Amino acid sequence: APRTALAEAAGLELADRAHGGGIAVDERLRTSDPDIYAAGDVAAFHHALFDIRLRVEHWANALNGGPAAARAMLGKDVTYDRVPYFFSDQYDLGMEYSGWAPPGSYDEVVIRGDAGKREFIAFWLKEGRVLAGMNVNVWDVTEPIQQLIRSRARVDTEALADPHVPLDSLGV
């Protein structure tokens, strides 16, 4: 659980605990006090791509959020809208997840590769658009997966499932 006692004592708006809690910030990582910013896994920011407030618990969020908040403090035009990302390595299984597809938000899952051999990519789709992708023991595909998510383009699910079709040729 995010430690928000200091923010609460300062009178800052907190995000709904049912949605992960944290300190509520806007797309510039600014809190309800326009002179205070929050970044990292304590910040629950409005994500324009998914039109939801998100709090992402991964070091990559802290790595990228801090510099974005600093640029915003300096008056730069900043929108913190990185595609949520995390990875985990569990013995001989490595996986990377990009996107946002909580239960009930998608209507189809497409598998590309061989799940039995634990070398595949799973894609969560809603109305033909990729919301999230998780590559399992398949490497160097995070960028094209995130491009598919950002594009919001409808994809041909047969082509998406075919490992011979380059990911960067889909959704264009």
Side-chain angles (χ1 to χ4, degrees):
R3 294 183 179 182
T4 58
L6 180 61
E8 189 171 9
L12 300 179
E13 179 186 348
L14 301 181
D16 182 354
R17 289 185 191 265
H19 294 99
I23 302 170
V25 296
D26 64 14
E27 67 281 350
R28 297 174 50 84
L29 301 174
R30 185 177 43 218
T31 68
S32 55
D33 180 321
D35 295 325
I36 300 175
Y37 292 73
D41 58 4
V42 74
F45 62 99
H46 179 266
H47 200 295
L49 183 64
F50 301 105
D51 194 26
I52 192 167
R53 185 174 297 283
L54 292 177
R55 190 176 66 79
V56 179
E57 292 185 17
H58 191 267
W59 63 263
N61 189 41
L63 177 74
N64 297 304
R71 287 191 303 276
M73 286 180 227
L74 293 170
K76 305 290 183 192
D77 187 21
V78 172
T79 299
Y80 190 70
D81 63 354
R82 294 185 71 90
V83 172
Y85 166 85
F86 74 84
F87 74 89
S88 183
D89 292 320
Q90 305 292 322
Y91 302 99
D92 64 341
L93 183 77
M95 58 190 135
E96 296 176 304
Y97 178 93
S98 294
W100 184 253
S105 68
Y106 55 91
D107 54 27
E108 183 176 11
V109 177
V110 173
I111 303 294
R112 176 188 187 104
D114 191 336
K117 290 184 179 177
R118 298 178 359 157
E119 293 180 1
F120 66 95
I121 306 170
F123 295 96
W124 287 261
L125 292 89
K126 175 77 172 193
E127 298 174 357
R129 294 179 174 89
V130 177
L131 299 176
M134 181 175 71
N135 46 306
V136 177
N137 290 337
V138 175
W139 306 111
D140 301 322
V141 293
T142 298
E143 188 173 320
I145 290 171
Q146 290 192 3
Q147 288 173 351
L148 280 172
I149 295 165
R150 282 193 171 285
S151 77
R152 297 184 184 178
R154 292 185 189 270
V155 296
D156 177 334
T157 56
E158 287 183 28
L160 184 63
D162 185 345
H164 297 100
V165 176
L167 287 175
D168 57 7
S169 71
L170 302 168
V172 290

